[in-house]
Amino acid sequence: VEAAARDLGYAGPSPKGRLLMGGKVHAIGFIPAGEMSVESLMRSPYLREVFTGVAQVCDERGANLLVVSGVTRRKDWAIANALVDGFILGHVEEIGLVSVRRKQVPYVVLEHDAGPDVASVRVDGRKGACLAARHLLELGHRKFAIVSVRRRRGEPIWHGAGLATGQLHAGYPLDHEKLAGYLEALAEAGINASDVPVVEAFPPSPYAEAGARMLFDAAPDVTAILAMSDKNAIAVLTVANERGTRVPEDVSVVGFDGVAEAARSSPPLTTIAQPLAEKGILAARMLFDGGPVRQIVQPVTLVVRHSTSPPRR
Amino acid sequence: VEAAARDLGYAGPSPKGRLLMGGKVHAIGFIPAGEMSVESLMRSPYLREVFTGVAQVCDERGANLLVVSGVTRRKDWAIANALVDGFILGHVEEIGLVSVRRKQVPYVVLEHDAGPDVASVRVDGRKGACLAARHLLELGHRKFAIVSVRRRRGEPIWHGAGLATGQLHAGYPLDHEKLAGYLEALAEAGINASDVPVVEAFPPSPYAEAGARMLFDAAPDVTAILAMSDKNAIAVLTVANERGTRVPEDVSVVGFDGVAEAARSSPPLTTIAQPLAEKGILAARMLFDGGPVRQIVQPVTLVVRHSTSPPRR
DNA sequence: CTGAAAGCGCTTACAG
DNA sequence: CTGAAAGCGCTTACAG
């Protein structure tokens, strides 16, 4: 019998049939945020570390890992076509969410608490931002600027000075949280939001550098820069170096994320570290293990390196 | 009618049914080589760049990208379970190949010409190795050592001096080609293989560094080191720095691959560059476009940076 | 041109 | 305990 099967070229049980009966696919899908397609997943150090955590769990469980491709328009159809047991969403995104919901498959959202009905893993952006701002305030800084994360490819957006919470042009909830955290800490020290310029810059090069240049051009007297991502902060270091502005002597910079590159930049970056791989691990485990829907908040910590010091007198 | 469908919670056409009728899955699978699981794909700069090329094509075509997980044992079952239209194999591997063949799905092999029946994209390892060795010979070097790539996790393997071609302990065909290329160029200059020590080291840290230490300990008089991968070459730089051995004054090092990190090492690494992302792009296009089975060979070029110089007199 | 039926390759529940 | 049948959700070829 077996010989006959082999003669006919039978290739062993196909997962296709099994699948149909509601069986497991033994794969989970990862949906990078925004315009972050599969390619930019590889280029973003932040996403890469989270993804590595997810991958680690997949290796443990012998599951395959599907990366959902495509820019916003196509992503919807890519999700519809994805054959997976569950999804990890890089951020909240309406289109993604809707599509995932329609598939009636479990999912976990990163970086956003979407209420008690949806599983999520995130950090407290507000708290992290407070830590960053307070660190600079304690060093004696009074002239601040903020580099926010623009979420779509494009030129930086300049807000001059005086951006109220919630007025970010292109941000995710996490970005609004961080902005609120910065402004809250500054307000406690008597610094008004209307005195703090904000630039929104897309983190991949060369957009982040363009944002940093815009900031140095428009607000040359700033001594303390709060960046919402390490990638943007490192771009500030690069541009400062180009122009002969010394860090931390002339200007202090604090990043956010605690990406590996932040430890190797020159000078090494003071930043708000979060457990990136760990977040991927937790999200993947929630997906594999099922269980009750939970909202996990991971800790943030201030890591002081060499990009911050007291302002020049 | 449509309202009724919505009331019943109909979630739109499922890819599962379509699949069964032989339809496209709109996804391709990437199988990292050897013990390289999904996780180490993220950690290996070489694989990451190739993978990025693959991802780029997937983005263009709106296809999803499945990373096949698991160590050797489980990989077989992971492949059997993978729902994809085709595979890209990181290297030749019997198990992988067998499994892929059984699925009767198209595939492309990287880094190995498996004959006219199988599609492949590779570089000429022998030629690249010749270029590297000749560069050092022209600078006047006579005392060589080779760092080969061990393909499984584990301690470095030391071959003293005198390894004939084909005697590598744990290598892929590409590694044998490179060894042959090194030895061929050295032989032309009258240097006998029996005078050239070889160490096989697994590229991820800390194995690569252990290999470099073994080499410096056992062959302290060597002035020229030929490494089969940039990762291994950079580990040599790191260990040299640890020990106060100056590169290139005391010892010259040539890498292989032309990974981004090689341009940023200190000193910047002289290496044999190959179009990594391009290989991923070509492999993915072959898969998507079908067409005749081809064996593509991509060019290698010597990139001289600052890790090589004439030997000290 | 619309609508009922068969079949893709499995699994599962049921009859023998 | 073994074996034939039904059904998963589609698509495709065929009958009405």
Side-chain angles (χ1 to χ4, degrees):
Chain A
V1 181
E2 285 181 1
R6 236 167 289 131
D7 291 349
L8 292 168
Y10 180 64
S14 147
K16 301 178 185 179
R18 188 176 331 148
L19 182 58
L20 212 38
M21 279 307 296
K24 290 275 174 212
V25 186
H26 300 291
I28 63 174
F30 186 87
I31 310 178
E35 309 217 332
M36 294 296 194
S37 53
V38 192
E39 186 191 350
S40 42
L41 162 63
M42 291 295 115
R43 306 242 185 256
S44 158
Y46 160 83
L47 272 177
R48 231 157 51 205
E49 299 197 22
V50 174
F51 186 77
T52 302
V54 174
Q56 215 171 301
V57 177
C58 287
D59 278 338
E60 274 170 36
R61 312 289 175 109
N64 292 320
L65 212 183
L66 186 84
V67 186
V68 172
S69 83
V71 257
T72 320
R73 283 295 296 263
R74 282 176 157 182
K75 197 181 275 186
D76 205 45
W77 119 279
I79 291 173
N81 275 302
L83 289 159
V84 293
D85 300 324
F87 286 100
I88 294 175
L89 312 191
H91 268 278
V92 226
E93 280 200 299
E94 309 70 15
I95 296 187
L97 263 177
V98 169
S99 312
V100 171
R101 280 230 173 84
R102 287 179 59 195
K103 296 205 76 174
Q104 314 193 93
V105 142
Y107 61 94
V108 179
V109 180
L110 295 178
E111 315 307 0
H112 180 63
D113 185 341
D117 294 335
V118 356
S120 58
V121 179
R122 63 188 190 99
V123 291
D124 187 336
R126 170 184 283 257
K127 190 175 151 202
C130 277
L131 288 175
R134 283 192 195 125
H135 168 63
L136 290 169
L137 287 164
E138 280 164 17
L139 289 169
H141 289 273
R142 303 293 295 173
K143 312 259 345 159
F144 284 82
I146 293 171
V147 183
S148 182
V149 176
R150 193 201 208 286
R151 295 292 179 171
R152 356 191 112 253
R153 184 179 302 273
E155 292 310 309
I157 302 169
W158 178 250
H159 288 284
L163 187 75
T165 314
Q167 291 189 322
L168 283 178
H169 224 273
Y172 285 147
L174 177 64
D175 307 318
H176 290 94
E177 277 178 34
K178 287 178 185 169
L179 180 61
Y182 290 144
L183 297 180
E184 183 184 316
L186 294 178
E188 281 170 10
I191 295 172
N192 204 298
S194 60
D195 295 326
V196 181
V198 177
V199 63
E200 298 182 53
F202 188 55
S205 300
Y207 304 96
E209 286 77 7
R213 275 183 208 108
M214 204 175 253
L215 194 158
F216 282 120
D217 286 343
D221 55 337
V222 153
T223 67
I225 298 177
L226 293 159
M228 289 191 190
S229 94
D230 284 347
K231 195 75 176 52
N232 282 319
I234 291 171
V236 169
L237 299 183
T238 305
V239 170
N241 185 55
E242 265 174 36
R243 309 207 162 180
T245 303
R246 290 167 306 161
V247 178
E249 291 81 357
D250 299 329
V251 64
S252 287
V253 184
V254 181
F256 207 111
D257 285 345
V259 134
E261 279 82 338
R264 297 197 298 257
S265 61
S266 51
L269 187 70
T270 294
T271 192
I272 302 298
Q274 50 166 313
L276 294 172
E278 185 68 16
K279 282 160 87 176
I281 290 173
L282 290 171
R285 291 221 178 110
M286 282 175 77
L287 223 42
F288 283 113
D289 296 339
V293 165
R294 287 184 302 154
Q295 291 74 42
I296 297 179
V297 179
Q298 287 289 96
V300 286
T301 46
L302 172 69
V303 176
V304 178
R305 285 195 277 246
H306 305 291
S307 66
T308 50
S309 72
R312 292 163 71 194
R313 296 170 299 122
Chain B
V1 181
E2 286 180 1
R6 235 167 292 131
D7 290 349
L8 292 167
Y10 180 64
S14 148
K16 300 179 185 179
R18 188 178 331 148
L19 181 59
L20 213 38
M21 281 305 296
K24 289 274 176 216
V25 186
H26 299 293
I28 63 174
F30 186 86
I31 310 178
E35 308 218 331
M36 294 296 195
S37 52
V38 192
E39 186 192 349
S40 42
L41 162 64
M42 292 295 114
R43 307 243 184 253
S44 157
Y46 160 84
L47 273 177
R48 230 158 51 204
E49 299 197 22
V50 174
F51 187 78
T52 302
V54 174
Q56 214 171 303
V57 178
C58 287
D59 279 337
E60 273 170 39
R61 313 288 175 109
N64 292 320
L65 213 184
L66 185 82
V67 185
V68 172
S69 82
V71 257
T72 320
R73 282 294 297 262
R74 282 176 159 183
K75 197 182 276 186
D76 204 46
W77 121 279
I79 291 173
N81 274 302
L83 289 159
V84 293
D85 299 324
F87 286 101
I88 294 175
L89 312 191
H91 269 277
V92 229
E93 283 200 297
E94 309 70 14
I95 295 188
L97 264 176
V98 169
S99 313
V100 171
R101 280 229 173 84
R102 286 179 60 194
K103 296 205 77 175
Q104 315 194 90
V105 143
Y107 61 95
V108 179
V109 180
L110 294 178
E111 313 309 0
H112 180 63
D113 185 342
D117 295 335
V118 356
S120 57
V121 179
R122 61 187 191 100
V123 290
D124 188 336
R126 171 185 282 257
K127 190 175 151 202
C130 277
L131 288 175
R134 283 193 194 124
H135 168 62
L136 290 170
L137 287 165
E138 280 163 16
L139 289 170
H141 289 274
R142 304 291 298 171
K143 313 257 347 156
F144 285 82
I146 294 171
V147 182
S148 182
V149 176
R150 191 201 212 285
R151 295 294 178 168
R152 355 191 112 255
R153 185 179 302 273
E155 292 310 309
I157 301 170
W158 178 252
H159 288 284
L163 188 74
T165 314
Q167 291 190 322
L168 284 178
H169 224 275
Y172 285 148
L174 177 64
D175 307 319
H176 290 94
E177 279 178 33
K178 286 180 184 169
L179 180 61
Y182 290 145
L183 296 180
E184 183 184 314
L186 294 179
E188 282 169 9
I191 294 172
N192 203 298
S194 60
D195 295 327
V196 181
V198 177
V199 63
E200 299 181 53
F202 188 55
S205 299
Y207 304 97
E209 286 75 9
R213 274 183 210 109
M214 205 176 254
L215 194 158
F216 281 120
D217 286 342
D221 55 337
V222 153
T223 68
I225 298 176
L226 294 159
M228 290 192 190
S229 95
D230 284 347
K231 196 76 176 51
N232 282 318
I234 291 170
V236 169
L237 299 182
T238 305
V239 170
N241 185 54
E242 266 174 34
R243 306 206 166 182
T245 303
R246 291 167 305 160
V247 178
E249 292 81 358
D250 299 327
V251 64
S252 287
V253 183
V254 181
F256 206 111
D257 286 344
V259 133
E261 279 84 338
R264 297 196 299 256
S265 61
S266 52
L269 188 70
T270 295
T271 192
I272 303 298
Q274 50 166 314
L276 293 171
E278 185 68 18
K279 284 161 85 177
I281 291 173
L282 291 171
R285 289 220 180 111
M286 283 175 77
L287 223 43
F288 283 113
D289 297 338
V293 165
R294 286 183 304 154
Q295 291 73 43
I296 297 180
V297 180
Q298 287 289 97
V300 286
T301 46
L302 173 68
V303 176
V304 178
R305 286 196 276 243
H306 305 292
S307 66
T308 50
S309 72
R312 294 161 74 193
R313 295 169 299 122

